[in-house]
């Protein structure tokens, strides 16, 4: 099945994300990663992180209960994506995700290489970024 976010160009996707104009069904697991990729492709890491965090929190406030954002998971994926993009310039999202489809695995399968489960899923990790306690990114 085609991901609903793929109907938008990178620029349309970014604008609609920032304006909260994407319906919740468009913001899939993969769509979260695409917005990370879109920002990292255009901006420095710190600005990208700020935009992603701000956008996810606003989206969660509008369409959820405001309790879904997880600081450590968001930051960890940003770090991993940033490192992957540093080593290989990808032309577009399709090429990036084809070469890195392991990133689409469940969070546990990706991040428990870096974190103990009790660390990653703690309340503290949800509120603030915690450094990996098993392996560096």
């Amino acid at each position: 099945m085609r991901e609903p976010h793929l109907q938008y160009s990178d620029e349309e996707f970014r604008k609609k994300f920032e304006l909260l104009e994407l319906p919740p069904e468009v913001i899939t697991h993969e769509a979260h990663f695409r917005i990370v990729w879109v920002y990292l492709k255009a901006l420095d890491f710190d600005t990208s992180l700020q935009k992603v965090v701000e956008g996810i929190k606003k989206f969660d406030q509008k369409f959820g209960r405001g309790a879904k954002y997880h600081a450590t998971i968001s930051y960890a994926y940003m770090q991993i994506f940033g490192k992957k993009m540093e080593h290989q310039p990808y032309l577009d999202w399709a090429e990036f995700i084809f070469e890195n489809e392991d990133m689409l695995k469940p969070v546990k399968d990706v991040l428990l290489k870096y974190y103990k489960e009790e660390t990653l899923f703690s309340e503290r990790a949800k509120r603030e970024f915690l450094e990996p306690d098993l392996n560096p990114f």
Side-chain angles (χ1 to χ4, degrees), residues 7-109:
Q7 66 185 304
Y8 305 107
S9 70
D10 289 344
E11 186 61 17
E12 289 173 312
F13 187 61
R14 182 195 58 77
K15 283 181 183 176
K16 287 185 175 295
F17 176 75
E18 289 175 355
L19 296 171
L20 301 175
E21 292 178 351
L22 294 169
E25 63 271 11
V26 170
I27 302 298
T28 62
H29 187 62
E30 182 178 324
H32 275 92
F33 296 148
R34 183 176 176 207
I35 200 64
V36 167
W37 182 82
V38 166
Y39 282 125
L40 285 172
K41 187 176 76 161
L43 304 167
D44 64 89
F45 181 84
D46 290 336
T47 305
S48 297
L49 178 63
Q50 177 188 352
K51 296 258 186 202
V52 168
V53 167
E54 180 181 285
I56 291 172
K57 285 181 175 180
K58 284 181 181 178
F59 193 86
D60 190 26
Q61 288 294 327
K62 181 174 179 176
F63 296 106
R65 298 180 325 269
K68 288 189 176 188
Y69 175 74
H70 192 292
T72 299
I73 290 174
S74 296
Y75 189 89
Y77 273 108
M78 293 283 300
Q79 284 286 334
I80 295 166
F81 269 60
K83 290 188 185 307
K84 288 179 178 285
M85 291 171 72
E86 269 178 25
H87 301 311
Q88 173 70 37
Y90 296 96
L91 299 176
D92 59 26
W93 169 250
E95 179 186 20
F96 176 81
I97 205 60
F98 178 79
E99 293 291 326
N100 297 284
E101 65 184 329
D102 60 312
M103 297 303 296
L104 296 177
K105 291 180 179 178
V107 169
K108 281 183 161 190
D109 293 347

Side-chain angles (χ1 to χ4, degrees), residues 103-117:
M103 297 303 296
L104 296 177
K105 291 180 179 178
V107 169
K108 281 183 161 190
D109 293 347
V110 176
L111 295 184
L112 291 183
K113 296 173 192 168
Y114 307 99
Y115 291 94
K116 294 176 188 167
E117 190 166 357

